[in-house]
């Protein structure tokens, strides 16, 4: 067959090349012209797109910044961005921890053999995952917490935690003597290391003789006894600052302001409904045959749960649950509705309105979330690879 | 073999011992099977009796529904104030324009009814000609919707989209997002599985970009940046801006749902259609897509649910959707203090739609599973 | 044929699934080292019967004694009996997340409280016996069906059971693999194990069975030694069944 120019257009490779070249051209041209128009339009409005505003002082107040100091009149825009990012990560971490516990609890109820527990868990899941998260955040914050939580004087007490209309007051640890504290930390780490060595030894002994020890409880009590006695011997280098009720409000301790508390609460409940569903699916993915096999070789119920059901169901539970963690992080941006100062609120909203630097600010916000998303896929890929190695 | 054989004597079936069947056995097995099981049962009964009756008292038995202003509710604080919802129902469902023009409310109502008439047969399994019904719904219905609700034709007075609100707006946003994202999503899914590396990478980048960003950021972008993207003079309505943002966002999720279906179809299908001498587009449109879409319907419906819930975010950029109107009403002078009722009503409406869709997708999934197992 | 030193003694066993009467008045004793093959049409209750013996199913009436211990709800006794009774399933049911070696050593370590070294040593021996030479560190998913079933037999044997139950061990396998599994089972039979085998492999039954039991509609219709069973079947049901399965 001759490759005359007449038949070239029938050649699939040639056609593919043309299509792709056209696509590249179109996309880049579209981006270029969008960028041009945007910069031009911004300049029309007197805004020169440039990151020089990073070092300008932000003219508004960020009330909640537990990690970086905020001071009205000196804090710059770029630091506001960091504060926003850290606040997002804070609520994400708090939410992930709580949602995991609650989600597993509900999911296990959902798979229990108690009919009532199963139904209650099912209703919980169906109610909370089928309503908009934003609505739930607003409901808890405005309709319940703001409306019904008492003023500081009559705070609800949970041990050293106090909940009132302004938020949740928590105890925080305070380092009294930094050198002794470091010594104490060293002792604690040492005791943990020792208990790991003990565990290794116990495992080797177990493999050789079959005699098992209650390794977990021994190492735990060892670590706890050592840490506590070292703590008192070193003269209490760390104290806990417990919030105390002053004249009008609490003094000392830490505070999760009400918006953060509501957001955390709603995110936890919403996400736990999804995690519970993952857990249920994971547990029911363990086939009946596996359970029968485990019973037929004489494993007790708890051995079966520990060695057959959990390892197998975790493989089904973990990947979608990691995706839920990412969703939770993205969903924390709904904080705006209740006024928690995370990255979208302080950066993509307030800072953008103040400076008009739409291009840079939106890009940075998106990059931050894309980074979280890439990080999540990275973890997921690693996990899947590991599973594949051990299974196939 | 011997010829004389015994006849098989069948022992007649008996019923099991009485304690192993019937509700007694059921209760014993499912509620009081073991000590821990019994404790769990008692705990849950206790919790239910602690919380459910007071809630029912509040929400139903002591609730207020009569009257037209807050005085009824203020007199009886022990029950919910559904009067509030009753009085504000037009705003909650249709928004400002139709509240101001009560003689026009037939328009959104008609639009909803026609929608229901098209949708319900689609959900029922045996309906014939589903394909045509679906096409009517996604092509003709939007035209119908815009002309009836938007007006300006056939002598129907015009209503500005910026004055739509409540459930009507929520519905319009979700519907537009779903319908426009579908073709876009299908193209992207095909692109992601294309053999052309550049097409594939562009599709991946597009999909992952939108999936990585929270919708609220995208809505900000749509409301702030979209006007900047175009030469001055091109103006977009706020609602249209939100629709564009939602559509782009949704298309990435639709693409992933469709890709799941494409992956599930085995290679044999492609090879068979190649052998028939079909080209790429012929194969795709007549062989691959119909099957892939059928498999991916449950996941697609799940993306609908997510989108329907997510439309509530437009309240943050100042659109008056169901959630925003509920919030505003509960803050108005006439009704402030009745937040719980406002959010509960809005929540219930959202919940009914989402739960319905979720039941439907679960049903389809089960059916697909059994189909697969019996094949 | 019923010996007095019976290791399993089933009397008047009745079992219902809901209201469905699945086993009716089953009486059966199995002597030590005896090999029993159970056959019968689908749905006749063969699986149900042998699953009752290690209490994967709970019966409602009658009694089952294994090794003199009567089956009851006592969890400790159930565990004891299960570690004395090995079971091989139609679909192998190996643990996919554990290697072949771990599959076999799991129960000896946790139920028999053996040391890991000892358990693995024994597992290796048994795996050699069932001719899974150097696959011990693979995962079940990497093995063929026949290999998986032989691992499953080794896993059950690792508990050093006194009785082995087989529920259609070859019916999910391709013909070549059936042979290798049956060979393993014949070796096991020759070593003096007490075995109850649900199978339709009549060649195997003829070769190893001391007694063949024919079940239908939840009843034991007929039991006899292989010779009489195949050549002089008593019941019309048995004849019908034999004519159907021996035809091809
Ligand atoms: N878990 C169960 N619930 C309800 N009915 C059951 C259950 N297991 C078995 N059955 C019924 O009990 C009867 C006996 O089942 P069984 O599995 O013992 O038959 P089988 O002889 O092993 O058949 P096959 O040769 O097909 O394996 C069948 O009619 C079956 O439908
Ligand atoms: Mg069977």
């Amino acid at each position: 067959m001759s490759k005359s120019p007449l038949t070239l257009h029938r050649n699939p490779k040639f056609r593919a090349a043309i299509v792709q070249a056209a696509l590249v051209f179109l996309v880049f041209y579209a981006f270029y012209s969008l960028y041009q128009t945007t910069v031009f339009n911004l300049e029309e409005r007197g805004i020169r797109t440039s990151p020089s505003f990073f070092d300008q002082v932000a003219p508004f107040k960020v009330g909640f910044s537990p990690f970086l100091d905020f001071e009205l009149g000196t804090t710059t825009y770029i630091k506001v961005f960091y504060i926003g990012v850290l606040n997002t990560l804070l609520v994400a971490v708090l939410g992930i921890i709580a949602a995991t516990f609650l989600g597993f609890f509900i999911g296990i109820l959902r798979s229990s053999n108690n009919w009532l527990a199963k139904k209650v868990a099912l209703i919980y899941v169906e109610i909370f995952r089928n309503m908009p998260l934003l609505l739930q955040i607003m409901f808890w914050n405005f309709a319940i917490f703001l409306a019904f939580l008492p003023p500081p004087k009559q705070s609800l007490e949970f041990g050293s935690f106090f909940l009132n209309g302004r938020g949740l007051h928590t105890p925080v640890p305070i380092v009294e003597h930094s050198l002794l504290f470091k010594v104490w930390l060293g002792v604690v780490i040492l005791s943990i290391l020792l208990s790991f060595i003990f565990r290794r030894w116990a495992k080797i002994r177990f493999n050789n003789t079959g005699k098992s020890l209650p390794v977990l409880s021994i190492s735990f009590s060892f670590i706890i006894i050592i840490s506590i006695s070292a703590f008192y011997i070193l003269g209490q280098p760390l104290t806990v600052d417990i919030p105390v009720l002053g004249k009008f409000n609490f003094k000392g301790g830490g505070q999760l302001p009400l918006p953060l508390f509501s957001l955390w609460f709603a995110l936890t409940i919403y996400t736990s409904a999804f995690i519970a569903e993952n857990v249920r699916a994971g547990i029911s993915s363990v086939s009946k045959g596996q359970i029968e096999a485990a019973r037929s070789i004489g494993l007790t119920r708890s051995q079966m749960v520990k060695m057959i059901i959990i390892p197998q169901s975790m493989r089904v539970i973990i990947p979608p649950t990691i995706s839920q963690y990412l969703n939770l992080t993205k969903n924390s941006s709904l904080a705006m509705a209740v006024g928690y100062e995370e990255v979208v609120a302080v950066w993509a909203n307030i800072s953008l309105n103040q400076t008009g630097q739409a291009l840079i600010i939106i890009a940075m916000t998106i990059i931050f979330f894309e980074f979280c998303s890439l990080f999540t896929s990275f973890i997921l890929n690693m996990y899947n690879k590991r599973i594949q190695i051990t299974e196939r | 073999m011997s010829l004389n054989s015994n006849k098989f004597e069948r022992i007649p079936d008996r019923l099991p011992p009485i304690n192993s069947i019937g509700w007694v056995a059921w209760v014993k097995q499912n509620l009081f099977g073991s000590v821990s099981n019994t404790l769990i049962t008692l705990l849950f009964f206790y919790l239910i009796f602690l919380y459910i009756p007071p809630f029912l008292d509040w929400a139903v038995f002591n609730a207020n529904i009569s009257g037209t202003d807050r005085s009824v509710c203020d007199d009886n604080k022990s029950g919910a104030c559904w009067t509030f919802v009753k009085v504000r129902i037009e705003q909650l469902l249709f928004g400002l324009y139709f509240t101001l023009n009560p003689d026009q409310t037939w328009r959104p109502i008609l639009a909803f009814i026609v929608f229901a008439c098209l949708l319900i047969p689609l959900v029922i399994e045996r309906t014939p000609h589903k394909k045509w019904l679906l096409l009517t719904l996604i092509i003709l219905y939007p035209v119908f919707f815009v002309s009836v609700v938007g007006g300006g034709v056939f002598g129907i007075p015009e209503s500005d989209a910026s004055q739509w609100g409540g459930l009507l707006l929520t519905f319009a946003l979700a519907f537009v997002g779903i319908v426009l994202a579908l073709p876009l999503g299908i193209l992207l899914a095909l692109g992601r599985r294309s053999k052309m590396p550049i097409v594939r990478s562009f599709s991946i980048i597009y999909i992952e970009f939108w999936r990585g960003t929270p919708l609220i950021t995208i809505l900000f972008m749509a409301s702030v940046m979209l006007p900047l993207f175009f030469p001055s003079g091109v103006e977009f309505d706020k609602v249209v801006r939100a629709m564009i943002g939602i559509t782009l966002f949704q298309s990435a999720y639709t693409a992933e749902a469709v890709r799941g279906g494409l992956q599930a179809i085995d290679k044999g299908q492609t090879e068979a259609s190649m052998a028939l001498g079909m080209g790429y587009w012929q194969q795709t449109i007549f062989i691959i897509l119909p099957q892939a879409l059928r498999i991916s319907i449950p996941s697609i419906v799940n993306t609908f649910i997510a989108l329907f819930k997510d439309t509530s975010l437009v309240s943050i950029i100042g659109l008056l959707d169901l959630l925003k109107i509920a919030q505003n009403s509960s803050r108005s002078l006439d009704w402030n203090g009745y937040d719980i009722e406002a959010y509960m009503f809005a929540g219930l409406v959202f919940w009914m739609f989402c739960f319905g869709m979720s039941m439907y997708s679960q049903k389809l999934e089960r059916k697909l599973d059994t189909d697969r197992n019996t094949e | 044929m019923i010996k007095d030193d019976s290791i399993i003694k089933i009397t008047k066993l009745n079992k219902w699934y809901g209201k469905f009467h699945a086993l009716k008045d089953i009486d059966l004793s199995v002597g030590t080292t005896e090999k029993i093959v159970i056959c019968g049409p689908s749905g006749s209750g063969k699986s149900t019967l042998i699953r009752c013996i290690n209490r994967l199913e709970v019966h409602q009436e009658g009694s089952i004694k294994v090794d003199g211990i009567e089956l009851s709800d006592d969890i400790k006794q159930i565990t004891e009996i299960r570690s004395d009774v090995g079971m091989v399933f139609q679909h192998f049911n190996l643990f996919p997340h554990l290697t072949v070696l771990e599959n076999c050593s799991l129960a000896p370590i946790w139920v028999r409280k053996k040391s890991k070294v000892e358990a693995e040593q024994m597992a290796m021996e048994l795996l050699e016996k069932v001719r899974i030479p150097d696959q011990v560190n693979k995962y079940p998913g990497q093995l063929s069906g026949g290999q998986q079933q032989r691992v499953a037999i080794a896993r059950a044997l690792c508990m050093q059971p006194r009785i082995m139950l087989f529920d259609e061990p070859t019916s999910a396998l391709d013909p070549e693999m059936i042979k290798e599994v049956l060979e393993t089972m014949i070796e096991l039979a020759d070593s003096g194990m007490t075995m109850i085998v649900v199978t339709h492999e009549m060649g195997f039954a003829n070769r190893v069975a001391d007694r063949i039991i024919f079940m239908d509609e939840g009843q034991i219709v007929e039991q006899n030694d292989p010779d009489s069973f195949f050549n002089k079947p008593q019941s019309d049901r048995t004849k019908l069944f034999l004519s159907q399965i021996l035809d091809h």
Side-chain angles (χ1 to χ4, degrees):
Chain A
M1 249 204 280
S2 68
K3 282 212 167 147
S4 79
L6 275 177
T7 54
L8 199 55
H9 73 279
R10 293 233 187 106
N11 182 333
K13 276 202 184 124
F14 178 74
R15 281 208 322 211
I18 293 288
V19 167
Q20 297 189 71
L23 188 69
V24 170
F25 174 77
L26 266 179
V27 168
F28 278 95
Y29 179 74
F31 266 104
Y32 178 73
S33 64
L34 277 183
Y35 178 78
Q36 286 282 314
T37 332
T38 309
V39 170
F40 177 78
N41 280 336
L42 279 170
E43 266 166 22
E44 288 254 287
R45 300 181 191 185
I47 297 159
R48 244 188 47 108
T49 300
S50 132
S52 59
F53 74 99
F54 284 177
D55 298 327
Q56 286 169 19
V57 169
F60 51 86
K61 190 171 178 320
V62 179
F64 182 70
S65 173
F67 303 111
L68 298 174
D69 290 326
F70 179 88
E71 207 178 311
L72 190 62
T74 55
T75 302
T76 54
Y77 274 108
I78 191 69
K79 200 167 170 195
V80 166
F81 173 71
Y82 294 140
I83 292 175
V85 166
L86 287 174
N87 284 352
T88 297
L89 295 178
L90 172 70
V91 72
V93 169
L94 290 177
I96 284 171
I97 294 171
T100 305
F101 278 106
L102 190 59
F104 270 78
F105 175 70
I106 307 278
I108 289 167
L109 279 188
R110 193 99 156 66
S111 330
S112 76
N113 46 18
N114 185 303
W115 180 85
L116 194 61
K118 263 196 292 208
K119 286 295 167 222
V120 171
L122 173 69
I123 291 170
Y124 176 94
V125 169
E126 293 296 3
I127 286 181
F128 290 112
R129 71 172 184 175
N130 283 317
M131 268 195 236
L133 172 62
L134 181 61
L135 188 146
Q136 296 187 38
I137 295 173
M138 295 187 358
F139 175 78
W140 293 116
N141 188 66
F142 297 121
I144 303 294
F145 296 145
L146 266 182
F148 292 103
L149 281 183
K153 281 253 173 226
Q154 289 112 37
S155 290
L156 306 174
E157 240 185 284
F158 308 94
S160 307
F161 292 80
F162 300 90
L163 182 63
N164 59 47
R166 297 196 190 168
L168 180 72
H169 296 264
T170 63
V172 285
I174 288 188
V175 179
E176 294 278 318
H177 191 300
S178 100
L179 179 68
L180 286 182
F181 175 67
K182 279 173 194 154
V183 172
W184 179 72
L185 264 188
V187 173
V188 172
I189 292 171
L190 198 69
S191 72
I192 293 174
L193 280 179
L194 278 177
S195 70
F196 268 104
I197 294 171
F198 166 69
R199 224 178 85 171
R200 279 287 289 272
W201 173 80
K203 189 152 187 204
I204 292 168
R205 195 179 89 122
F206 173 75
N207 288 350
N208 291 334
T209 64
K211 283 183 194 143
S212 66
L213 283 169
V215 177
L216 214 59
S217 43
I218 291 181
S219 19
F220 263 119
S221 29
F222 174 72
I223 294 172
I224 287 173
I225 290 171
I226 293 286
S227 325
I228 291 181
S229 41
F231 186 75
Y232 283 102
I233 290 168
L234 291 173
Q236 309 190 15
L238 187 81
T239 50
V240 176
D241 189 15
I242 293 174
V244 273
L245 188 59
K247 209 159 183 194
F248 298 107
N249 203 349
F250 280 87
K251 291 207 172 64
Q255 190 197 8
L256 304 189
L258 193 67
L260 171 56
F261 179 75
S262 313
L263 180 68
W264 170 76
F265 190 88
L267 280 174
T268 299
I269 297 219
Y270 184 74
T271 312
S272 72
F274 288 88
I275 293 180
E277 199 45 35
N278 296 343
V279 171
R280 198 218 91 242
I283 293 176
S284 68
S285 78
V286 180
S287 70
K288 237 179 104 195
Q290 290 292 310
I291 289 164
E292 284 175 355
R295 287 162 68 190
S296 79
I297 57 173
L299 295 185
T300 63
R301 213 188 133 71
S302 62
Q303 285 171 338
M304 176 170 84
V305 168
K306 194 172 123 198
M307 286 178 285
I308 309 298
I309 297 182
I310 292 181
Q312 287 191 30
S313 52
M314 274 309 192
R315 299 178 169 207
V316 180
I317 295 171
I318 287 177
T321 300
I322 293 179
S323 309
Q324 282 306 324
Y325 292 164
L326 176 65
N327 283 346
L328 187 148
T329 310
K330 288 196 289 175
N331 283 336
S332 69
S333 55
L334 300 188
M336 253 192 0
V338 289
Y340 174 64
E341 290 145 322
E342 48 68 68
V343 67
V344 175
V346 294
W347 189 242
N349 193 30
I350 304 179
S351 299
L352 194 152
N353 286 342
Q354 292 288 335
T355 63
Q357 293 284 355
L359 216 48
I360 292 178
I361 285 184
I362 296 270
M364 282 171 72
T365 316
I366 289 178
I367 288 171
F368 165 68
F369 283 107
E370 295 297 342
F371 182 79
C372 295
S373 154
L374 280 179
F375 179 71
T376 313
S377 340
F378 172 72
I379 300 272
L380 265 176
N381 281 341
M382 273 205 335
Y383 180 78
N384 286 337
K385 279 230 180 71
R386 223 191 73 197
I387 291 294
Q388 263 165 12
I389 290 168
T390 58
E391 197 149 272
R392 236 151 243 284
Chain B
M1 283 193 191
S2 60
L3 280 174
N4 56 327
S5 56
N6 309 332
K7 188 119 181 56
F8 171 64
E9 281 170 42
R10 191 174 190 282
I11 302 173
D13 287 353
R14 276 189 286 136
L15 282 182
I18 196 70
N19 63 5
S20 69
I21 46 163
W23 66 271
V24 181
W26 185 90
V27 166
K28 200 180 148 213
Q29 209 192 354
N30 292 293
L31 294 176
F32 303 101
S34 61
V35 178
S36 56
N37 216 335
T38 308
L39 287 179
I40 294 175
T41 304
L42 292 179
L43 177 72
F44 275 101
F45 268 125
Y46 173 72
L47 289 178
I48 286 172
F49 282 115
L50 199 63
Y51 289 109
I52 300 299
F55 175 77
L56 286 180
D57 278 345
W58 175 84
V60 183
F61 302 118
N62 296 340
N64 307 295
I65 185 83
S66 58
T68 53
D69 61 40
R70 63 179 300 152
S71 59
V72 190
C73 301
D74 289 346
D75 291 344
N76 170 23
K77 287 275 189 192
S78 67
C81 182
W82 301 126
T83 314
F84 161 38
V85 173
K86 186 185 78 179
V87 172
R88 293 290 179 118
I89 192 78
E90 264 144 10
Q91 255 194 56
L92 287 166
L93 293 184
F94 310 125
L96 191 61
Y97 175 84
F98 296 100
T99 312
L100 295 178
N101 303 287
D103 58 321
Q104 299 292 321
T105 41
W106 63 269
R107 288 158 55 184
I109 292 176
L110 179 68
F112 280 135
I113 290 176
V114 171
F115 180 74
C117 291
L118 287 170
L119 188 69
I120 290 169
L122 262 180
V123 177
I124 295 169
E125 217 173 295
R126 298 175 190 287
T127 317
H129 310 304
K130 268 194 185 173
K131 218 184 284 170
W132 295 111
L133 214 60
L134 188 65
L135 286 178
T136 315
L137 187 66
I138 61 182
I139 295 172
L140 293 183
Y141 181 74
V143 180
F144 170 80
F145 184 89
V146 170
S147 28
V148 170
V149 179
V153 284
F154 309 125
I156 303 174
E158 197 169 333
S159 76
D160 194 356
S162 62
Q163 292 199 339
W164 299 353
L167 182 62
L168 182 69
L169 179 63
T170 298
F171 173 81
L173 287 170
F175 189 76
V176 166
I178 287 168
V179 168
L180 294 185
L182 208 55
L184 212 54
I186 292 174
L187 279 180
L188 284 164
L190 291 172
R192 196 167 179 167
R193 287 173 62 80
S194 159
K195 290 198 185 72
M196 296 184 257
I198 293 180
V199 173
R200 194 168 57 232
S201 6
F202 278 176
S203 307
I204 293 177
I205 293 172
Y206 179 96
I207 292 171
E208 294 308 330
F209 172 81
W210 295 106
R211 276 164 31 103
T213 318
L215 179 58
I216 185 67
T217 318
I218 292 166
L219 288 174
F220 267 125
M221 194 158 78
S223 74
V224 180
M225 304 267 284
L226 210 55
L228 297 174
F229 283 160
F230 293 90
S232 50
V234 184
E235 293 267 332
F236 290 107
D237 185 76
K238 241 188 191 169
V239 177
V240 176
R241 281 185 243 166
M243 281 176 176
I244 294 175
I246 286 177
T247 306
L248 296 177
F249 175 79
Q250 176 71 1
S251 64
Y253 288 86
T254 312
E256 282 304 273
V258 174
R259 185 169 72 111
L262 286 171
Q263 264 167 348
I265 295 181
D266 60 347
K267 268 221 182 88
Q269 295 285 341
T270 333
E271 277 157 15
S273 43
M274 288 263 227
L276 290 173
M278 289 175 133
Y280 175 80
W281 287 108
Q282 278 176 317
Q283 264 176 48
T284 306
I285 293 174
F286 297 111
I287 313 283
I288 312 285
L289 268 185
Q291 300 182 49
L293 287 178
R294 197 175 77 96
I295 298 176
S296 46
I297 289 176
S299 337
I300 295 180
V301 175
N302 286 342
T303 69
F304 291 173
I305 300 176
L307 178 66
F308 194 78
K309 288 187 292 181
D310 277 349
T311 54
S312 59
L313 302 200
V314 298
S315 63
I316 294 185
I317 58 164
L319 295 188
L320 296 170
D321 77 319
L322 175 58
L323 177 59
K324 189 69 184 173
I325 290 198
Q327 189 192 20
N328 284 354
S329 321
S330 71
R331 288 178 179 176
S332 67
L333 270 183
D334 304 350
W335 296 105
N336 83 58
Y338 292 106
D339 306 54
I340 297 188
E341 287 83 346
Y343 291 119
M344 272 203 176
F345 174 75
L348 187 70
V349 174
F350 274 111
W351 185 85
M352 286 192 311
F353 282 96
C354 295
F355 183 69
M357 284 192 271
S358 132
M359 289 286 99
Y360 178 63
S361 100
Q362 284 173 32
K363 195 187 100 184
L364 282 184
E365 230 161 301
R366 272 195 299 271
K367 189 167 167 293
L368 276 178
D369 269 355
T370 48
D371 284 359
R372 212 168 292 148
N373 291 341
T374 49
E375 252 161 30
Chain C
M1 204 58 191
I2 297 169
K3 295 172 188 167
D4 258 337
D5 58 340
S6 58
I7 189 167
I8 299 176
K9 195 160 177 60
I10 299 175
T11 36
K12 282 271 169 221
L13 179 69
N14 278 282
K15 156 92 194 148
W16 285 265
Y17 287 114
K19 284 185 182 172
F20 174 73
H21 202 165
L23 291 179
K24 300 171 181 169
D25 295 343
I26 303 281
D27 285 306
L28 178 68
S29 318
V30 182
T32 319
T33 77
E34 198 181 2
K35 284 96 188 129
I36 291 188
V37 166
I38 303 179
C39 61
S42 182
S44 55
K46 308 178 295 289
S47 303
T48 309
L49 174 60
I50 68 167
R51 288 156 59 85
C52 279
I53 294 174
N54 67 350
R55 213 168 171 80
L56 287 180
E57 300 289 353
V58 179
H59 60 273
Q60 285 91 358
E61 277 181 18
S63 87
I64 302 177
K65 275 188 190 159
V66 178
D67 239 352
I69 306 172
E70 164 127 29
L71 288 191
S72 65
D73 284 333
D74 185 341
I75 292 179
K76 211 149 173 219
Q77 271 182 8
I78 295 174
T79 310
E80 215 167 287
I81 284 170
R82 280 187 186 146
S83 54
D84 252 359
V85 180
M87 179 145 186
V88 176
F89 300 87
Q90 183 177 2
H91 295 287
F92 334 132
N93 295 351
L94 292 176
F95 304 127
H97 62 296
L98 300 177
T99 61
V100 166
L101 192 60
E102 287 166 341
N103 261 284
C104 294
S105 58
L106 184 74
I109 292 175
W110 294 102
V111 183
R112 289 263 190 252
K113 310 280 183 209
K114 287 199 170 144
S115 77
K116 195 171 166 193
V117 177
E118 205 183 330
E120 286 186 348
Q121 203 177 338
M122 188 179 60
M124 286 301 292
E125 274 167 32
L126 285 163
L127 283 167
E128 251 161 57
K129 244 191 205 162
V130 299
R131 284 188 291 275
I132 303 290
D134 22 63
Q135 324 249 25
V136 293
N137 289 318
K138 286 192 177 171
Y139 287 88
Q142 297 167 302
L143 301 183
S144 75
Q147 289 171 329
Q148 290 193 43
Q149 193 61 300
R150 283 180 285 147
V151 173
I153 294 173
R155 175 176 72 180
L157 291 176
C158 276
M159 287 296 286
Q160 296 172 311
R162 315 223 304 135
I163 305 162
M164 285 284 286
L165 309 174
F166 293 82
D167 191 359
E168 309 201 26
T170 55
S171 57
L173 297 176
D174 296 336
E176 332 79 273
M177 298 175 183
I178 293 182
K179 209 171 134 243
E180 58 187 53
V181 170
L182 287 182
E183 271 166 16
T184 309
M185 288 170 63
I186 290 172
E187 276 168 33
L188 183 62
D190 291 346
S191 75
M193 174 69 71
T194 311
M195 288 163 70
I196 303 182
V197 185
V198 175
T199 186
H200 291 139
E201 295 294 332
M202 288 305 148
F204 171 82
N206 208 358
R207 161 84 171 71
V208 301
D210 294 318
R211 196 161 25 132
I212 298 182
I213 290 176
F214 175 67
M215 288 185 70
D216 199 0
E217 299 198 38
Q219 299 168 228
I220 292 182
V221 177
E222 180 167 351
Q223 42 182 316
N224 225 328
D225 59 279
D227 198 30
S228 327
F229 182 82
F230 288 118
N231 297 324
K232 286 175 276 176
Q234 301 293 310
S235 162
D236 54 342
R237 282 283 167 110
T238 319
K239 277 182 188 162
L240 185 68
F241 178 73
L242 283 175
S243 70
Q244 274 166 357
I245 62 162
L246 294 179
D247 261 0
H248 44 207

